[in-house]
Amino acid sequence: MQTHGTFSAAIATSLTPLLDPFLRHSSSIQTRSQAQQLHALLLKSHPRPFPLVFSLYSALGLVRDARLAFTAAPTPSPPCYAAVIRCSAARGLFDHSVSAFVRMRSFSSPLADAVLPSVLKSCAALRDPHLGTAVHGFLIRSGWGADLFTANALMNMYCKLCHAKDDGRRNLLAEVSSGGAVGGDLRKSGFSHASQIRLGPLGSVRKVFDEMPQRDVVSWNTLIAGTAENGMHVEALEMIKKMGVAGLKPDSFTLSSVLPIFAEYVDGYKGMEIHGFAIRHAFDTDVFIGSSLIDMYANCTNVDYSRRVFDLLPNPDPISWNSIIAGLVQNGMFDEGLKLFREMLLCRIKPMPVTFSGIMPACAHLTTLRLGMQLHGYVVRGGFAGNVFVASSLVDMYAKCGNVHIARRVFDGVPSPDSVSWTAMIMGYALHGPAQEALSLFQRMETENGKPNHVAFVAVLTACSHAGLVDEAWDYFHRMSNDYGIIPRLEHYAAVADLLGRAGKLEEAYDFISTMHIKPTAGVWSALLGACRVHKNAKLAEKVAAKIFDIEPKNMGSHVLMSNIYSAAGRWNEAAKLRMTMKDKGMKKQPACSWIEIKNELHAFVAHDTSHPCYNKIINALKVLLEQMEREGYVPNTEDVLHDIEEEQKRNMLCGHSERLAIAFGIISTPPGTTIRVTKNLRVCVDCHTATKFISKIVGREIVVRDLNRFHHFKDGECSCGDYW
Ligand code: ZN
Ligand code: ZN
């Protein structure tokens, strides 16, 4: 006990006057018992020990002892109050800080130095505008309004209060008021509570700023940040210029409060100017600026720059890691995002809830259930399972990875789901098929969560569309604007148009799209073109295709679809002509590709690709399956095959479709009974859909195929989509 020895020796030699400097440099006191011994000594020897004792306990984080020492003091002196107010605010005991201030005022004790910034900080943290204005009144009356630090703290408080609401701390207000004629002072200086409501808290910030006799960088930063956070972006940028005119240089805080503006307005050009400024003033290696720059570039879809900024940071902090990971994932660079997430763990940076909601969409997009489950493991071990943001991203991930049951289990475990979690779950059901589940969950959302937003309506309309529920969809579509005042967006129109098309109400769909309030996109028309193919209406298809080619002359999918429609109708010449146009326009067909994950490895199959090491085994398996399928009554649907070729050849071409290669590979590589999960980059073709239904029955397995639009759960010869897709 070396420390203890020196400590006792120090106490023995230092008496009353010598204790003060000793306490100020009290690094040798490290334990509670040492602090208590010193406290006892001070009580005997020191005339006014409390401020010292209080700072001593506070410095050690012994908050309870600190409060006890203060409460026990019979008549605390001004420095004692000051110590209590300052230390409490610094330690996050905002209530205590304010009540010490109130107690001090009730004894009319004179004000010690630098107390008011702490009081104002506490008012801001307590989010109480009434209390804040009361203290403001007091500081005007006591003449502290002209003090630079106090005025800065006052501005900061009003900024924080911009988003605050009254939570009933009026009793404290009454006590502060009784300590002085607060209201009168405020009114005299033009700061009545009514005027504060009229000005708004930001107006108050501005007024304090304008009336300051002197201002420093902190004053400007507070004003700029407050202005930017309240959406007044042009004004905030103007202020940076004015700050320069006033002879003050913007610092890293100034920059990090304006960078989000460019991110939000996707103005990468202006953002780059600020980046240039940051480099010239050597702020670019600052983690605050770095993280803001990463966010800004990622939002402006310039994620390569984000990456470069991140790589140049000498000591990236957790915020910078989260920014870069989320930025990469948002920009579709899922593998990169996951790679950095692993690096982050290797660097022993602890993930936060935002880390998980940032990385989870990568698993959802890559449909890698295994990785998603690993992340779920981290979430549970890290104690984030109760976090509603994390839970929502888990629900979304499980649903998108094809496991709607686990998604539901996670959802049911969320104590109070927010609209994001509700919507993720409803969307999950919409994509997977049990449309009735989606609809009843939507109903529950309306009663339990209140207001469904526009995304929730997209989800419920998608559910109706995938299940062919026309009447229900119309009902939701009308209620959306009538009951909830949500103006339909493109996604809502698209869902309804898609539904009408699927239901065979092609003319109705055509009229609906033609009379939309928004200009229809090629995507909306393409859905109808797909419906025309299913319902074999080549005449309307031509009209629709003309609309699409008008909007997007090089829309690949529609050209292929139209050519297929011609082929199916036996109009080979027109099909050939269209394929020529495609060649002339330099369009290449996007190759169909399907993925399957086997034993932690992702296998990709492109149509008719023979390069897979197991290719021969796969083809043999498919041949065996085909024979069995034909015995069960399968007839190949060859109308989608482009060329005018022999039936036998057509049949072989269908066998080479990417999803079929992936499914066959799944069957031969996994034990019987294992669910097979395949992802395809395009829509599942009609013939593969039929074939997969047969295969699921023959091999007795559940086969889950995620295509461009939805999930298909094949089981016992049926598909969850009910053949609507
Ligand atoms: Zn196919
Ligand atoms: Zn299906």
Short mmCIF file of all heavy atoms in Angstrom, two decimals, residues 689 711-712 714 719-723 725, ligand 2:
data_model
loop_
_atom_site.label_atom_id
_atom_site.label_comp_id
_atom_site.label_asym_id
_atom_site.label_seq_id
_atom_site.Cartn_x
_atom_site.Cartn_y
_atom_site.Cartn_z
N HIS A 689 -41.01 -21.45 -62.68
CA HIS A 689 -41.96 -21.41 -61.57
C HIS A 689 -42.73 -22.73 -61.51
O HIS A 689 -42.84 -23.35 -60.46
CB HIS A 689 -42.90 -20.22 -61.75
CG HIS A 689 -43.67 -19.87 -60.51
ND1 HIS A 689 -44.91 -20.38 -60.26
CD2 HIS A 689 -43.33 -19.09 -59.46
CE1 HIS A 689 -45.33 -19.90 -59.10
NE2 HIS A 689 -44.40 -19.13 -58.59
N PHE A 711 -40.79 -13.02 -52.75
CA PHE A 711 -40.35 -14.35 -52.37
C PHE A 711 -41.35 -15.39 -52.85
O PHE A 711 -42.56 -15.16 -52.80
CB PHE A 711 -40.26 -14.47 -50.86
CG PHE A 711 -39.02 -13.89 -50.30
CD1 PHE A 711 -38.99 -12.57 -49.89
CD2 PHE A 711 -37.88 -14.64 -50.21
CE1 PHE A 711 -37.84 -12.02 -49.38
CE2 PHE A 711 -36.72 -14.11 -49.71
CZ PHE A 711 -36.70 -12.79 -49.28
N HIS A 712 -40.85 -16.52 -53.28
CA HIS A 712 -41.72 -17.65 -53.62
C HIS A 712 -41.35 -18.78 -52.67
O HIS A 712 -40.18 -19.18 -52.63
CB HIS A 712 -41.49 -18.10 -55.06
CG HIS A 712 -41.75 -17.03 -56.07
ND1 HIS A 712 -42.95 -16.89 -56.72
CD2 HIS A 712 -40.95 -16.03 -56.52
CE1 HIS A 712 -42.89 -15.85 -57.54
NE2 HIS A 712 -41.69 -15.31 -57.43
N PHE A 714 -41.91 -22.50 -52.29
CA PHE A 714 -42.46 -23.68 -52.96
C PHE A 714 -42.51 -24.82 -51.97
O PHE A 714 -41.51 -25.11 -51.30
CB PHE A 714 -41.59 -24.09 -54.15
CG PHE A 714 -41.52 -23.04 -55.23
CD1 PHE A 714 -40.50 -22.11 -55.24
CD2 PHE A 714 -42.47 -23.00 -56.23
CE1 PHE A 714 -40.43 -21.14 -56.23
CE2 PHE A 714 -42.41 -22.04 -57.23
CZ PHE A 714 -41.38 -21.12 -57.22
N CYS A 719 -47.00 -22.88 -54.66
CA CYS A 719 -46.16 -21.73 -54.33
C CYS A 719 -46.96 -20.72 -53.53
O CYS A 719 -48.15 -20.51 -53.81
CB CYS A 719 -45.60 -21.07 -55.57
SG CYS A 719 -44.56 -19.65 -55.16
N SER A 720 -46.30 -20.08 -52.54
CA SER A 720 -46.97 -19.12 -51.66
C SER A 720 -47.52 -17.94 -52.44
O SER A 720 -48.40 -17.23 -51.96
CB SER A 720 -46.00 -18.63 -50.60
OG SER A 720 -44.94 -17.94 -51.23
N CYS A 721 -47.00 -17.67 -53.64
CA CYS A 721 -47.47 -16.49 -54.38
C CYS A 721 -48.81 -16.77 -55.04
O CYS A 721 -49.43 -15.84 -55.57
CB CYS A 721 -46.43 -16.06 -55.40
SG CYS A 721 -46.35 -17.10 -56.86
N GLY A 722 -49.25 -18.02 -55.02
CA GLY A 722 -50.51 -18.35 -55.65
C GLY A 722 -50.47 -18.06 -57.15
O GLY A 722 -51.49 -17.76 -57.75
N ASP A 723 -49.30 -18.14 -57.73
CA ASP A 723 -49.06 -17.88 -59.16
C ASP A 723 -49.31 -16.43 -59.59
O ASP A 723 -49.43 -16.14 -60.77
CB ASP A 723 -49.88 -18.85 -60.04
CG ASP A 723 -49.47 -20.29 -59.78
OD1 ASP A 723 -48.34 -20.49 -59.28
OD2 ASP A 723 -50.27 -21.21 -60.04
N TRP A 725 -47.30 -13.12 -59.67
CA TRP A 725 -46.02 -12.47 -59.35
C TRP A 725 -45.58 -11.58 -60.47
O TRP A 725 -46.18 -11.57 -61.53
CB TRP A 725 -44.94 -13.51 -58.99
CG TRP A 725 -44.26 -14.17 -60.14
CD1 TRP A 725 -43.06 -13.82 -60.69
CD2 TRP A 725 -44.72 -15.30 -60.88
NE1 TRP A 725 -42.75 -14.65 -61.72
CE2 TRP A 725 -43.75 -15.57 -61.86
CE3 TRP A 725 -45.86 -16.10 -60.81
CZ2 TRP A 725 -43.88 -16.60 -62.78
CZ3 TRP A 725 -45.98 -17.12 -61.72
CH2 TRP A 725 -45.00 -17.38 -62.69
ZN ZN B 2 -44.38 -18.25 -56.83
#
